[in-house]
Amino acid sequence: MKNTSVTFKEMKKKGEKISMLTAYDYSTAKLVDKAGINGILVGDSLGNVMLGYPDTVSVTMEDMIHHGAAVARGAENSLVVIDMPFMSYQASVYDAVVNAGRLMKEGRAGAVKLEGGEEIIPQVEAIVKASIPVMGHIGLTPQSINALGGYKAQGRDIESARKLIKDARLLEQAGAFSIVLECVPADLATYVSEQLSIPTIGIGGGAGTDGQILVYADMLAMFSDYRPKFVKNFANVGEMMMEGFKAYDAEVKAGTYPAEEHTYAIDPEVLEAAKINN
Ligand code: KIV
């Protein structure tokens, strides 16, 4: 069954947990979709994981549309959410609506995700008014890395915990259908989840959120630049890839690959005839 923003809200009402993973390409999206994952986020983490940037700041609308459209082609049942990249919505409400529209029209998203709370409420309201489902994202918001001063857990003092609770309520009131809570103390994430009627999707927020999301390359141990505390390796695909690459290298160099069964045959008479006058 096709997952939509409405499905997500119904799942919370029924007390069903929501699963999400990131993906950035067609083949991975197909696998994630077939595994029964409810939602695929084309996260701007593609800047780190796919493009090798140190952060998400340089990711562009064109990057998100290019990868988003590839994922959308591979996702039959998962809800595809595409991240609005840094500076595609912060400067004005107009930018926010136009760029959210591009992610829907050109990227074929089912919803868009924006980072931030109180400061982006006018943008969220305007995008929702344009009939585009919005997922919020609060707690650790990587696009603000230069203002936050590092990738660290958020909401650990009274002031920032209060802000997180307030931001979550404001996003719900603005019409967001769901909110990502990133790197937030588990008890605080549970409290926020209990306060809202829309589902929370946790990443580093403990087990009390309504759903979970991970970067697929982290949970398959394919990305080793850094490893956040909340990541669990569900399979060691990175090691399997390395073994495969090394085995290929060894066989190419030993001349054992390709073997007979990997080659195309030609009638010897055809070959002989082709050699004449050449
Ligand atoms: O970009 C991303 O992958 C994200 C997740 C970490 C939630 O925003």
Side-chain angles (χ1 to χ4, degrees):
M1 197 189 74
K2 180 77 191 160
N3 287 270
T4 66
S5 57
V6 176
T7 321
F8 272 37
K9 289 197 275 190
E10 282 167 359
M11 286 178 78
K12 170 150 183 159
K13 269 195 208 134
K14 290 186 213 154
E16 291 171 16
K17 292 275 187 186
I18 300 166
S19 57
M20 288 191 75
L21 282 174
T22 66
Y24 316 97
D25 67 274
Y26 170 77
S27 302
T28 310
K30 265 183 102 165
L31 289 168
V32 172
D33 183 87
K34 283 217 166 75
I37 302 295
N38 298 112
I40 300 179
L41 172 69
V42 188
D44 61 356
S45 52
L46 85 86
N48 311 88
V49 178
M50 296 286 123
L51 305 178
Y53 293 132
D55 52 47
T56 60
V57 170
S58 302
V59 175
T60 65
M61 276 295 295
E62 270 53 47
D63 292 331
M64 297 313 299
I65 289 169
H66 181 73
H67 288 264
V71 166
R73 287 191 287 273
E76 210 178 305
N77 294 317
S78 305
L79 169 65
V80 175
V81 182
I82 305 185
D83 256 343
M84 298 199 67
F86 182 57
M87 290 318 291
S88 68
Y89 57 95
Q90 287 91 343
S92 73
V93 169
Y94 176 84
D95 279 357
V97 177
V98 168
N99 285 321
R102 287 193 68 198
L103 295 179
M104 301 298 283
K105 284 170 79 99
E106 299 170 54
R108 303 295 307 170
V112 299
K113 177 165 81 58
L114 288 73
E115 294 182 7
E118 194 168 6
E119 61 288 355
I120 57 147
I121 293 303
Q123 283 89 328
V124 173
E125 284 171 343
I127 297 171
V128 171
K129 249 190 211 156
S131 303
I132 299 173
V134 170
M135 179 175 272
H137 181 161
I138 53 177
L140 175 60
T141 46
Q143 289 177 16
S144 309
I145 189 63
N146 292 302
L148 293 174
Y151 295 102
K152 30 188 187 214
Q154 304 294 308
R156 297 181 93 174
D157 57 61
I158 298 174
E159 197 187 335
S160 67
R162 276 201 184 127
K163 174 163 167 52
L164 191 98
I165 296 165
K166 184 177 176 195
D167 284 344
R169 287 206 182 109
L170 289 173
L171 285 166
E172 177 174 37
Q173 283 162 18
F177 75 94
S178 176
I179 304 176
V180 168
L181 300 179
E182 179 166 357
C183 283
V184 171
D187 290 344
L188 178 60
T190 301
Y191 176 75
V192 170
S193 306
E194 287 165 357
Q195 296 301 302
L196 302 180
S197 64
I198 56 171
T200 55
I201 309 294
I203 173 162
T209 51
D210 302 300
Q212 297 292 330
I213 182 163
L214 283 175
V215 169
Y216 92 90
D218 283 342
M219 51 86 78
L220 296 183
M222 293 168 68
F223 182 71
S224 56
D225 288 6
Y226 53 85
R227 188 176 185 277
K229 181 181 177 188
F230 55 77
V231 171
K232 175 176 172 179
N233 291 148
F234 287 83
N236 207 336
V237 175
E239 210 170 282
M240 286 170 69
M241 287 173 79
M242 186 60 82
E243 276 169 23
F245 296 152
K246 282 184 177 165
Y248 167 76
D249 180 62
E251 287 203 24
V252 167
K253 286 170 181 163
T256 53
Y257 175 83
E260 184 83 35
E261 71 262 32
H262 307 119
T263 57
Y264 302 97
I266 184 171
D267 184 332
E269 282 179 18
V270 173
L271 182 58
E272 286 315 309
K275 286 178 188 171
I276 296 166
N277 295 335
N278 258 318

